[in-house]
Amino acid sequence: MLAGLTVGFTVGATTIAHADFRVCNATQELVGVSIGYRARTGWITEGWWHVEPTKCKTLIEGPLASRYYYLYAEDALRGGRWDGPVNMCVAEREFKITGVNDCYARGFQKSGFREYDTGNQQSWMVQLIDEAQSSDTNTNTQ
């Protein structure tokens, strides 16, 4: 994780009735986001969603089908990252990749994703913030 950016979380219910996985960008910079999850066909990574400052994007629409989701994000201007220890494949441009092994051999890059345990909730939100701000949040809704 680069200096200046961090991801933390608190969990709480919201009154929004949407069932989806959303990422909100509470920074002042454009952020590129990718997500990983386990599907019936195996591991999938998808990206890039461009989330403008103070905006949110829905990465998965509808009720969540998995308990665990994995997120990797980059600050487009400063190069900071929100990452974690779970390696998955990514590409430079828009992508949907099946499998997390042999990323380089298959022509992809490898990035460390952070795991989010949604506790089988129907909805989940991750809020990305700068380290200088007080807290980042993940919010689940039922």
Side-chain angles (χ1 to χ4, degrees), residues 4-7 23-35 47-57 59 71-83 116 126-130 133 136:
L5 298 175
T6 188
V7 169
V23 173
C24 295
N25 178 4
T27 76
Q28 296 303 309
E29 305 297 336
L30 178 66
V31 174
V33 178
S34 58
I35 192 167
W48 294 100
W49 285 267
H50 296 119
V51 187
E52 296 178 6
T54 71
K55 302 288 183 193
C56 297
K57 286 275 176 137
L59 280 62
L71 197 70
Y72 174 80
E74 291 183 350
D75 178 319
L77 181 63
R78 295 182 293 174
R81 293 184 180 97
W82 292 267
D83 58 3
Y116 292 91
V126 176
Q127 186 168 12
L128 304 175
I129 67 165
D130 286 327
Q133 292 176 286
D136 299 352

Side-chain angles (χ1 to χ4, degrees), residues 78-111:
R78 295 182 293 174
R81 293 184 180 97
W82 292 267
D83 58 3
V86 180
N87 289 318
M88 296 185 168
C89 302
V90 297
E92 286 189 36
R93 302 205 183 271
E94 186 176 332
F95 66 89
K96 183 172 184 177
I97 302 169
T98 301
V100 295
N101 296 322
D102 303 318
C103 298
Y104 299 120
R106 296 188 296 144
F108 303 118
Q109 300 163 354
K110 184 168 47 173
S111 293

